Amino acid sequence: MEAAILSGSIKIMLPKLFSLVEKSWNLSKDIMRDIKFLEKELGMIVRSIDMELNTPRHDHGAALLLLSMEDLRELAHGIEDCIDSLMYRASWKQQSSLLRRRVQSPKTLLTGLQFAQKLQRMKQMVVEAHDRRQRYPVPAQTSGAAPSPSSASDPRLVDADLVGVEEHRAKLLEQLAEAAEGRPMQLKVISIVGCWGLGKTALAADVYRTQAGGERFDKRAWVCAALKSPGEVLADMLREFGSDCQETLLLDTSNVSQLCVQVRNQLANKRYFIVIDDIQTQVQWKKIKPAFPDGNDGSSRVVVTTTIQSVASACSSENGYVHRMSRLDEKCSKRLFSEKACPKKYLHYDQPDTTAILNKCYGQPLALITMGEFLKSIGWPIGRTCEDACNNIRYHMENGETFGDMRRALMRSYASLDGHALKACLLYFAMFPSDHPMRKKSLLRRWSAEGIVETQASCDAMKLAAENFDELMDRNLIEPIGVSNNGNVKTCQTYGMMREFILQLSISQNFVTLFCDDKKEAGKYARRLSLHHKNAKDGDRLKNIDLSLVRSLTIFGDACKTVLNFSKYELLRVLDLEKCDDLKDDHIKGICNLLLLKYLSLGGSVTELPEDIAKLEHLEALDVRRTKVNILPVEVFLLPCLMHILGEFRISGKVYKKSVFLKKKTGNEVQKFLSEGKSNIETLAGFITDGSEGFLHLMGHMNRLRKVKIWCKPSATASSTDWSDLMRAIQQFIQDKKDENSDTARSLSLHFDECSGDFLDSIQGPSYLSSLKLHGNLTTLPQFVVSLRGLKELCLSNSKLTAGVLEALSSLKHLQYLKLIAHEIEDFSIEVHALPRLLRLCFELQHSTFPTIKQGAMRFLVTLQLLCKDINDLSVINIECFGHLEEVILHPQVSQETQKQWEKAAEDHPNGPKVLLFKSGDEAESSNDQLNPAFSRMGISEVCPPLNESASSIVVS
């Protein structure tokens, strides 16, 4: 797996070399020749690694690497250091000025001669590594059968440790039962999905034993699909049916169509029950599916288990059922752990505190069993404590015999990821403390800035990063912590033993250098440096690390002077100081000299940004939400690569007369820069305006702008406020541009609680927005809202929503998500055929004044959120009219009686929706869809559900 990460790193590095050749930067012929030599060498190395990765598992000798992994890594890092140092040198020279000429270049700046010498050293390393390989050849592995991916024992023959699965078993048996009257009479496919180690296979085996013992099914089969081709799965199925032995030995597993015919012949006119364990891809299922005849009596059943949500949905897309496994609650976790950890002679012994180990296992049966057996082997409960075991868990996971099954399960989850980018994205979570939920969008920006995802001509880095994030979520390798009302993930984290596995792997592969838990977890190379809490205070612990080579620095908590001396970090790409407590204004000047910086997030006591921030010409994301910065220098808008600006600030148009370097970069300079179409800003979330800023005239020149958040706050000194400039700026932003980007998602969030929203009536259509949030005093719905093309999300917040405003919503035929926030709403009815595409509806009310919803309205509704603590019965909304309803979310302070009434109504509903309690997240991305602060007195607070509900709980941020 290390080879995949290294191959990906080199692939990302190659474009840098191409760029050097193209730009040349007045390089000598000798240097150019050395660069071209390294280009060819790196290309050969990548192809060699890829051949190794694509070689069948049983024939490693066919494509042995010419160089060892250690040699390759050292070479790759050395080349990257040369490239980045040259880029830094070029950036420094390009920022020449009268002032800069009087300033001496940094002592660490790479000279042309030093660069040439380093390139020569890289060439020599290639030769030395090749010679070393020649002296110590690696013998080819003898060809043979690939190791079986299935477990050593048949899960149907093992008495599994089934604890706390009674509800799961009952639900599955209910789905396996005969089709009820009025239900479709056809084959039913039931998917069991969840992350590794939740007991999916054990539960399926238990249900299989229960069903296989009766006479209901004529044919039964249990097959494992992990790491097998569709042909191999079908062949195993035929063997399970008891076909002729000679015939099954000669099966051609490459002829999938013929095998499907043979299976269908075996199952024709018969009732059958088949379990396919650990299916991994939709393609695998698509090729297997034709083998199953759809019996007329509707009694045949197929059960699949998988760790991938999209695979589960694909398997059960027609007349099926997806059963999501949940973690064990605290009581069941403790019971299972104790059964495995405590010998019978100590059952009545006063057992030590198990909190640490239960938290580490996170309700996953495999982890609990493994840790229990391990502690039992070292003398628990009278031997070592759970805390001691937890402190060295990563060592035991890597080397302990007891951890073998868990280690293999984790490695398989990791190895199944396609390509280096997904693996690198997963390992990146090692940068963050276990108690720190990571904001999704910040994570995507960091991946993009570090070049972890490979950019393609047809897709930008942020989109590719988002696809990787969704893939990790789909595979249940990370879990959502904060989810917005519209279903988008806001914050996420790794969990339990998966986190420990990620830490162990990222450190062993030198992917992350980590200081945490009073110890340094560092590899030989420090490229990504993360310091947690008090570990950033001790400068002596960093003395052996060359900070000049660090590309990413993240600090949580206090920091020492050594860490915050930014003159040492010349090659930084990502700087995350959002949670750094010691950051002050005098540190920012040093940050402005990090000329290669792409991502900057600040916190602490920072109150202002200097005009020198204009030096950061590679900066892509600037996040000042955690700072006290309330004035943003207009020079920020001169940054050519800047795409995302996050905070709550006013725009300064101040002319810096004392600055020689920036003396011409005033508002006029910014206007010229923007009018020439040089701005790449996509996110401006957001700025405060009183309607008088000249900046409002510049918004229309930001052609790539996609997300805008504005707070309207009238000037305290002015007798009246003219919002005409703001109105024109909004008009330009939402205008229906007829170009290739006209359908690119655009969102607007407008807060006008302190003023009238009458100026919105002057905005005209046609116009385009995909998302709109209006927080303020509305008596009527502005006409432009009704005429918006492509509007999918709408949030309205007011003290009282009138019937006039609400009735106008019925004309929004493309709306998929609607959120209404108010103290109360006037009585009105949602008519038949209204909001035909609506999928999610949220009411956030202080008083229980819900509308009347007529049968046939919003008929495809999936999620209904009723966030009002005063609900006391079911009369508010009849959920029977929503045939596709999947979940009802209630205010956490509704009475238990009310909650039970809703659960009973959901149980009687044909679709069986879940009834969940609202849970707020406090680490969410600053969002246009957060709870309105005006309703804090409603008493909405964080509610932590039991562990067995956490997998399906909704966290609204």
Side-chain angles (χ1 to χ4, degrees):
M1 294 308 103
E2 183 180 13
I5 296 291
L6 184 56
S7 172
S9 300
I10 296 175
K11 288 177 182 177
I12 292 172
M13 194 188 310
L14 282 172
K16 293 184 180 181
L17 276 171
F18 295 146
S19 176
L20 282 179
V21 174
E22 291 175 358
K23 293 181 179 178
S24 76
W25 285 329
N26 299 320
L27 300 178
S28 69
K29 291 183 179 179
D30 290 338
I31 291 179
M32 292 290 290
R33 186 167 53 250
D34 290 343
I35 290 176
K36 289 183 178 179
F37 170 81
L38 291 175
E39 279 180 18
K40 293 179 180 179
E41 286 296 315
L42 285 176
M44 292 295 293
I45 291 171
V46 168
R47 285 190 287 274
S48 182
I49 293 175
D50 288 347
M51 284 178 62
E52 171 71 12
L53 295 174
N54 293 327
T55 299
R57 300 171 69 91
H58 59 277
D59 190 14
H60 290 287
L64 289 174
L65 290 174
L66 297 178
L67 307 174
S68 72
M69 278 303 136
E70 187 64 30
D71 287 333
L72 282 175
R73 189 189 301 109
E74 186 177 354
L75 176 63
H77 283 313
I79 294 174
E80 186 180 30
D81 293 341
C82 284
I83 296 170
D84 288 348
S85 296
L86 185 64
M87 291 176 65
Y88 182 78
R89 177 171 174 253
S91 298
W92 187 273
K93 286 189 173 182
Q94 288 172 357
Q95 298 229 19
S96 60
S97 67
L98 291 175
L99 176 63
R100 184 60 50 76
R101 292 189 188 108
R102 297 200 301 268
V103 178
Q104 187 177 2
S105 298
K107 293 182 180 179
T108 56
L109 204 60
L110 197 65
T111 65
L113 178 60
Q114 290 172 326
F115 181 69
Q117 292 173 342
K118 283 184 176 289
L119 285 179
Q120 284 294 323
R121 175 58 187 150
M122 296 302 106
K123 290 181 64 177
Q124 186 62 30
M125 286 176 62
V126 174
V127 176
E128 291 173 356
H130 181 268
D131 291 344
R132 188 158 45 248
R133 191 58 173 248
Q134 293 292 323
R135 290 195 301 271
Y136 308 107
V138 178
Q141 182 175 334
T142 305
S143 298
S148 173
S150 56
S151 7
S153 58
D154 192 326
R156 294 168 292 175
L157 305 177
V158 177
D159 291 329
D161 300 282
L162 295 175
V163 174
V165 298
E166 290 76 13
E167 291 186 11
H168 292 292
R169 183 193 291 113
K171 190 67 176 178
L172 287 176
L173 292 176
E174 177 185 335
Q175 293 295 326
L176 289 169
E178 299 280 357
E181 185 178 352
R183 297 294 180 88
M185 298 293 290
Q186 59 188 46
L187 170 68
K188 177 182 282 188
V189 181
I190 299 166
S191 300
I192 306 175
V193 63
C195 65
W196 69 274
L198 282 184
K200 300 180 296 296
T201 298
L203 178 62
D206 179 68
V207 171
Y208 184 85
R209 285 193 297 266
T210 302
Q211 294 296 306
E215 299 179 355
R216 177 182 167 194
F217 298 107
D218 305 309
K219 290 284 185 178
R220 306 168 187 82
W222 175 289
V223 293
C224 178
L227 303 180
K228 292 182 180 179
S229 68
E232 291 172 321
V233 175
L234 292 168
D236 287 348
M237 205 175 296
L238 285 169
R239 296 184 185 104
E240 283 279 308
F241 292 153
S243 302
D244 181 80
C245 293
Q246 293 298 323
E247 190 177 303
T248 54
L249 288 173
L250 300 175
L251 289 173
D252 179 8
T253 57
S254 64
N255 193 340
V256 178
S257 298
Q258 179 60 36
L259 289 170
C260 281
V261 171
Q262 290 179 256
V263 172
R264 286 185 71 90
N265 290 337
Q266 288 282 331
L267 300 178
N269 302 316
K270 294 182 176 66
R271 295 181 175 185
Y272 54 90
F273 178 43
I274 298 171
V275 176
I276 307 176
D277 185 36
D278 204 6
I279 194 165
Q280 291 294 308
T281 67
Q282 295 186 46
V283 172
Q284 194 178 26
W285 169 251
K286 185 177 180 180
K287 292 184 177 181
I288 294 172
K289 181 183 176 182
F292 304 126
D294 193 352
N296 293 329
D297 64 356
S299 62
S300 293
R301 300 288 184 264
V302 174
V303 173
V304 301
T305 71
T306 181
T307 58
I308 306 173
Q309 186 64 44
S310 59
V311 172
S313 299
C315 294
S316 302
S317 59
E318 297 178 11
N319 189 39
Y321 170 72
V322 176
H323 183 83
R324 184 172 181 85
M325 295 289 291
S326 56
R327 298 181 180 87
L328 300 179
D329 61 20
E330 183 178 356
K331 180 179 179 181
C332 290
S333 294
K334 192 169 185 177
R335 174 186 157 194
L336 179 57
F337 170 75
S338 297
E339 287 179 358
K340 290 299 175 181
C342 188
K344 292 182 179 179
K345 62 182 179 179
Y346 290 114
L347 286 178
H348 301 292
Y349 183 80
D350 188 9
Q351 297 180 0
D353 184 15
T354 59
T355 302
I357 210 72
L358 294 182
N359 288 340
K360 193 73 71 175
C361 294
Y362 207 54
Q364 293 180 277
L366 180 57
L368 290 161
I369 292 169
T370 302
M371 287 304 301
E373 291 176 345
F374 171 71
L375 284 172
K376 185 177 183 178
S377 70
I378 59 175
W380 194 85
I382 62 172
R384 290 164 59 184
T385 64
C386 294
E387 289 81 359
D388 291 337
C390 286
N391 289 337
N392 297 296
I393 189 65
R394 291 195 289 278
Y395 171 80
H396 298 307
M397 285 180 64
E398 186 175 10
N399 302 289
E401 182 179 351
T402 309
F403 289 79
D405 287 344
M406 188 170 73
R407 184 166 56 243
R408 283 187 288 273
L410 289 165
M411 183 55 76
R412 274 187 54 198
S413 295
Y414 176 75
S416 67
L417 297 175
D418 295 328
H420 83 280
L422 265 178
K423 293 181 173 69
C425 288
L426 182 62
L427 296 186
Y428 201 87
F429 280 89
M431 295 283 289
F432 312 106
S434 59
D435 59 351
H436 178 74
M438 189 59 197
R439 289 196 299 257
K440 172 186 173 180
K441 290 186 179 178
S442 296
L443 195 63
L444 302 187
R445 293 173 192 130
R446 290 178 62 140
W447 289 347
S448 173
E450 289 212 39
I452 287 179
V453 291
E454 297 178 56
T455 55
Q456 301 175 3
S458 59
C459 191
D460 62 33
M462 281 294 287
K463 288 182 179 178
L464 289 172
E467 289 179 3
N468 286 348
F469 182 90
D470 292 342
E471 181 75 7
L472 294 177
M473 288 289 301
D474 186 40
R475 289 176 175 268
N476 289 294
L477 296 176
I478 58 177
E479 66 175 8
I481 298 299
V483 180
S484 67
N485 294 110
N486 58 3
N488 293 328
V489 175
K490 292 294 183 182
T491 59
C492 64
Q493 68 177 18
T494 54
Y495 53 85
M497 292 298 177
M498 175 58 74
R499 169 171 173 76
E500 299 301 323
F501 173 77
I502 290 171
L503 285 173
Q504 182 269 323
L505 204 58
S506 61
I507 293 167
S508 68
Q509 295 191 11
N510 298 316
F511 190 79
V512 170
T513 300
L514 186 65
F515 285 80
C516 66
D517 303 328
D518 295 323
K519 57 186 177 182
K520 170 190 164 190
E521 300 278 10
K524 183 177 179 181
Y525 303 99
R527 289 301 189 273
R528 297 177 183 87
L529 181 60
S530 183
L531 303 107
H532 297 180
H533 308 302
K534 61 183 178 181
N535 295 283
K537 294 185 68 174
D538 187 359
D540 291 338
R541 303 178 67 196
L542 295 165
K543 61 184 179 182
N544 294 326
I545 293 181
D546 186 357
L547 298 179
S548 69
L549 301 179
V550 174
R551 270 48 173 206
S552 174
L553 174 65
T554 305
I555 300 176
F556 297 89
D558 299 333
C560 63
K561 290 183 179 180
T562 301
V563 176
L564 296 178
N565 182 1
F566 294 108
S567 64
K568 299 177 181 290
Y569 300 94
E570 60 187 42
L571 301 185
L572 268 182
R573 293 291 196 280
V574 170
L575 181 57
D576 188 344
L577 303 175
E578 184 176 315
K579 293 297 182 69
C580 178
D581 297 334
D582 294 334
L583 191 66
K584 296 180 174 60
D585 286 335
D586 55 1
H587 294 119
I588 306 302
K589 186 174 181 180
I591 293 175
C592 290
N593 289 322
L594 301 173
L595 303 183
L596 302 184
L597 200 63
K598 292 187 174 184
Y599 176 95
L600 177 60
S601 180
L602 300 173
S605 302
V606 175
T607 61
E608 63 178 350
L609 298 179
E611 65 266 27
D612 273 8
I613 197 170
K615 297 178 188 177
L616 305 180
E617 294 188 350
H618 294 280
L619 194 66
E620 296 176 358
L622 175 62
D623 190 341
V624 294
R625 286 174 292 184
R626 292 273 183 172
T627 68
K628 300 176 183 177
V629 173
N630 51 32
I631 299 290
L632 195 69
V634 72
E635 285 81 7
V636 166
F637 296 96
L638 289 167
L639 296 174
C641 298
L642 190 62
M643 292 187 289
H644 310 286
I645 308 177
L646 304 163
E648 186 175 346
F649 43 75
R650 295 183 184 274
I651 308 297
S652 169
K654 177 182 177 182
V655 179
Y656 296 93
K657 296 181 180 180
K658 296 181 180 180
S659 171
V660 177
F661 176 59
L662 291 173
K663 66 179 182 179
K664 293 182 179 180
K665 295 187 176 181
T666 61
N668 290 333
E669 186 79 6
V670 173
Q671 184 169 6
K672 181 176 182 296
F673 178 85
L674 296 177
S675 62
E676 291 175 352
K678 296 180 178 179
S679 174
N680 283 297
I681 295 176
E682 298 178 4
T683 304
L684 184 55
F687 67 92
I688 303 168
T689 180
D690 62 7
S692 63
E693 290 87 353
F695 169 76
L696 292 171
H697 294 283
L698 304 179
M699 273 185 57
H701 297 299
M702 298 181 183
N703 296 327
R704 294 180 179 271
L705 200 58
R706 294 295 174 257
K707 180 177 181 179
V708 178
K709 189 173 185 177
I710 305 172
W711 289 271
C712 303
K713 296 186 178 181
S715 173
T717 58
S719 58
S720 61
T721 302
D722 181 8
W723 298 107
S724 57
D725 287 343
L726 176 61
M727 181 273 294
R728 283 190 287 271
I730 295 174
Q731 180 76 69
Q732 285 183 300
F733 173 63
I734 70 172
Q735 66 183 353
D736 201 354
K737 301 174 183 178
K738 300 298 183 183
D739 57 24
E740 66 276 9
N741 295 320
S742 61
D743 288 324
T744 301
R746 271 181 265 159
S747 68
L748 172 65
S749 178
L750 195 60
H751 296 250
F752 48 96
D753 303 90
E754 300 178 25
C755 64
S756 170
D758 292 343
F759 69 92
L760 295 175
D761 295 330
S762 302
I763 299 176
Q764 300 177 353
S767 51
Y768 169 82
L769 276 178
S770 59
S771 176
L772 174 64
K773 284 85 176 178
L774 298 177
H775 301 264
N777 301 312
L778 285 176
T779 55
T780 60
L781 192 68
Q783 183 58 38
F784 85 93
V785 177
V786 178
S787 64
L788 280 173
R789 182 178 64 84
L791 187 64
K792 295 181 179 179
E793 300 181 3
L794 176 63
C795 176
L796 299 178
S797 174
N798 202 345
S799 58
K800 183 176 182 179
L801 290 172
T802 64
V805 171
L806 299 171
E807 288 172 359
L809 298 177
S810 298
S811 59
L812 300 175
K813 299 187 181 302
H814 297 280
L815 205 62
Q816 293 182 342
Y817 165 62
L818 175 62
K819 181 177 182 180
L820 302 174
I821 305 174
H823 288 271
E824 60 182 348
I825 58 179
E826 288 186 357
D827 184 35
F828 82 106
S829 297
I830 301 179
E831 301 294 333
V832 179
H833 305 307
L835 301 171
R837 296 190 182 182
L838 198 70
L839 301 176
R840 298 176 179 270
L841 175 62
C842 175
F843 293 101
E844 188 178 321
L845 306 175
Q846 188 170 6
H847 301 294
S848 181
T849 53
F850 294 93
T852 301
I853 301 177
K854 295 187 177 180
Q855 184 78 32
M858 305 181 295
R859 61 194 186 95
F860 289 102
L861 196 70
V862 172
T863 299
L864 176 63
Q865 300 174 348
L866 306 174
L867 305 182
C868 178
K869 63 181 179 181
D870 293 334
I871 297 177
N872 52 24
D873 56 34
L874 301 175
S875 61
V876 289
I877 291 178
N878 180 16
I879 62 172
E880 291 183 1
C881 60
F882 306 129
H884 296 271
L885 194 64
E886 295 180 1
E887 58 186 14
V888 177
I889 301 175
L890 303 176
H891 193 287
Q893 295 184 13
V894 297
S895 66
Q896 289 188 355
E897 182 181 355
T898 298
Q899 185 178 349
K900 289 179 180 179
Q901 288 178 336
W902 279 96
E903 289 173 350
K904 179 61 169 62
E907 186 178 336
D908 295 337
H909 190 284
N911 211 41
K914 298 177 181 177
V915 176
L916 307 169
L917 292 183
F918 177 94
K919 181 185 177 186
S920 65
D922 59 0
E923 285 289 339
E925 175 89 11
S926 180
S927 164
N928 298 338
D929 198 24
Q930 287 184 327
L931 289 174
N932 192 328
F935 297 95
S936 59
R937 62 178 177 273
M938 290 171 60
I940 294 180
S941 58
E942 183 166 337
V943 174
C944 298
L947 274 176
N948 64 344
E949 295 178 3
S950 61
S952 57
S953 297
I954 297 297
V955 185
V956 185
S957 58

